[in-house]
Amino acid sequence: MANTYHSEQTIGVFDSGIGGLTVANAILDLLPAESILYYADTAHLPYGRKSPDEIRSYSHHITGYLLDRDCKAIVVACNTASAAALDYLRNSFPEVIIVGMEPAVKPAAQATRSGVVGVLATAGTFRSERYAQLMERYAGNIRVLQNPCTGLVEKIEAGLTEDPDTMSFLNGILQPMFSAGADTFVLGCTHYPLVRKALEQLVPADSVIIDPAPAVARQLYHRLQARQLLAPSDHPPQYRFHASGPEASLHRALTYYWPTEFSIV
Ligand code: DGL
């Protein structure tokens, strides 16, 4: 297939809110020459409680927005949107590189010593067909305990990542997992690595916490490389951020989590 894209174009990244910044950060680390245009769909947050049809429609709109603004690849930096819309997006935009994500059940099944794994994701991810397939494929020999952490995305968007209430909320989720012997925890929602510090204080010291963001960045690298679309190393990257609704959480999060210059568009 002829390449209609070129290497100096931008990577489009989207999430319902600030969670996808965890993935954008991993892209920045691995691919520092790439420009990024980030779309936070704060008008429709949280995705975790929306229907698959609604999420497909938002994701389609956002992908169109990003492609209209010179993007050469799309990263669905949201497990819930990937679960509901990844196949649909790939069918709708067959010529585009679209990288998605899924809860890291496979690496967790390899990492656990106790055979018990805790998965933290949204309700939307847990009820998806993609998640059911993941469980069927990789969780046959382990016990998986799931929690949709209802309300956690809103706390993170509000900047309450180290608040005592957030700590006790997380503790309430983790205690039953510890009691059942869980030693490995999957962050199956891109917002949840933003409370990683709090989680690390709560889990036993030898626990494994898995954030799939670096693996998503590596996949993006391979997909771009295969199409000869990696930005040249001397390409000066630009980082632009857009919120479809309220912008406060994005502004706040960027000051904490974005290590370099950026603009809000
Ligand atoms: N960050 C998203 C994910 O990875 C979803 C958060 C939400 O519910 O909006 O699943």
Side-chain angles (χ1 to χ4, degrees), residues 97-141:
I97 294 174
I98 302 182
V99 175
M101 54 198 305
E102 61 190 18
V105 174
K106 182 184 175 190
Q110 288 160 354
T112 180
R113 290 144 291 145
S114 64
V116 185
V117 167
V119 180
L120 313 182
T122 67
T125 296
F126 285 133
R127 60 167 185 262
S128 68
E129 184 60 26
R130 276 185 97 89
Y131 184 75
Q133 285 166 5
L134 202 60
M135 293 295 288
E136 207 178 292
R137 206 169 310 147
Y138 302 115
N141 296 321

Side-chain angles (χ1 to χ4, degrees), residues 14-20 38 41 44-50 76-82 101 121-125 153-154 157 187-192:
F14 77 87
D15 179 40
S16 59
I18 61 172
Y38 184 95
D41 195 11
H44 301 118
L45 178 123
Y47 277 8
R49 285 183 259 163
K50 295 284 191 308
V76 186
C78 174
N79 292 266
T80 314
S82 296
M101 54 198 305
T122 67
T125 296
V153 165
E154 291 89 330
E157 288 282 327
L187 305 182
C189 165
T190 53
H191 279 75
Y192 300 168

Side-chain angles (χ1 to χ4, degrees), residues 43-66:
H44 301 118
L45 178 123
Y47 277 8
R49 285 183 259 163
K50 295 284 191 308
S51 73
D53 275 348
E54 284 172 303
I55 296 170
R56 278 193 276 277
S57 151
Y58 305 146
S59 301
H60 190 277
H61 170 81
I62 296 165
T63 301
Y65 174 101
L66 294 169

Side-chain angles (χ1 to χ4, degrees), residues 7 17 33 39 45 58 67 81-82 94-95 105 132 169 177 189 215 219 232 260:
S7 61
Y39 188 111
L45 178 123
Y58 305 146
L67 293 174
S82 296
E95 78 291 358
V105 174
F169 175 89
M177 294 182 170
C189 165
Q219 221 218 318
T260 185

